[in-house]
Amino acid sequence: MQTNQTVKEIKLAPIRNGTVIDHIACGQALNVMKILGVSENNIDSCISIGIHVPSTKESKWKDLIKIEDRELDSATVDKIALIAPDATISIIRDYYVAEKYTVHLDDHVSGLARCSNPNCITNKGEPVAPEFTVVSRHPIQLRCCYCDRILTNVSDNLL
Ligand SMILES: Nc1ncnc2c1ncn2[C@@H]1O[C@H](COP(=O)(O)OP(=O)(O)OP(=O)(O)O)[C@@H](O)[C@H]1O
Ligand SMILES: [Mg+2]
Ligand SMILES: [Zn+2]
């Protein structure tokens, strides 16, 4: 049955305590889930994922994740910044936004991703950690400081 009603807003279930990752670049929610490393064995709370949800910001669409009873460590937030540079992290306590910040992607990235060039010194078993310069943010592109290879597929090369 058709109606004239338009769904203006999609609201995921509110959470009492936990973290909301909002304004994720559209299409990246499942890659953020990979970073969170959630599996059947290590979680005992609820996660809601919104994919291709209308956004009021300049990009028309976004993804978002609400995860109960979990707060994120800084390494996790840094990796999220690599695939969703405009994401906001809100920490929910007793249903209210207790803290909120935007992830931050430095111009220089150390050790979060691997270089996609198999011959790069950073992939040769030497004690050389991968380092990159951010050459584009929308979409994300990183240049390896050792071999100059441009990494575009960051989500598949996260460490
Ligand atoms: N109790 C809650 N349970 C689940 N999500 C919540 C709760 N309280 C706030 N949020 C979500 O946390 C995020 C930040 O909340 P805030 O009130 O700052 O939203 P906002 O005004 O829409 O901000 P923004 O400009 O970042 O979109 C939003 O995605 C909001 O939907
Ligand atoms: Mg909002
Ligand atoms: Zn390299």
Side-chain angles (χ1 to χ4, degrees):
M1 193 177 73
Q2 293 262 323
T3 72
N4 290 329
Q5 248 186 333
T6 316
V7 178
K8 289 229 174 67
E9 196 180 350
I10 297 170
K11 275 196 177 140
L12 302 180
I15 57 178
R16 178 175 202 134
N17 294 301
T19 300
V20 176
I21 311 167
D22 195 356
H23 304 290
I24 299 171
C26 198
Q28 293 299 325
L30 296 179
N31 288 327
V32 173
M33 285 302 297
K34 256 200 272 174
I35 293 169
L36 296 178
V38 173
S39 82
E40 255 327 284
N41 306 321
N42 64 14
I43 187 144
D44 200 23
S45 61
C46 195
I47 301 174
S48 310
I49 304 176
I51 291 178
H52 214 261
V53 172
S55 170
T56 53
K57 298 272 161 87
E58 56 191 270
S59 57
K60 244 171 98 192
W61 303 96
K62 65 178 181 182
D63 290 354
L64 78 162
I65 296 173
K66 302 193 177 192
I67 176 164
E68 247 177 350
D69 296 331
R70 170 138 178 214
E71 296 191 8
L72 308 181
D73 59 40
S74 65
T76 301
V77 174
D78 288 349
K79 284 184 188 174
I80 293 171
L82 265 185
I83 62 166
D86 303 316
T88 61
I89 310 282
S90 300
I91 298 167
I92 310 296
R93 295 199 183 110
D94 222 0
Y95 293 109
Y96 284 96
V97 179
E99 282 172 48
K100 179 175 174 179
Y101 57 93
T102 302
V103 300
H104 173 74
L105 179 59
D106 273 331
D107 289 336
H108 188 84
V109 174
S110 285
L112 296 172
R114 70 178 71 80
C115 179
S116 60
N117 173 6
N119 293 319
C120 180
I121 179 79
T122 61
N123 287 319
K124 287 293 186 189
E126 305 284 341
V128 183
E131 289 191 34
F132 303 90
T133 302
V134 176
V135 290
S136 160
R137 287 167 185 259
H138 299 96
I140 295 270
Q141 293 186 341
L142 307 179
R143 185 196 294 116
C144 176
C145 297
Y146 293 95
C147 73
D148 283 341
R149 172 79 64 101
I150 301 285
L151 181 62
T152 50
N153 191 4
V154 177
S155 61
D156 284 338
N157 288 283
L158 290 173
L159 290 172

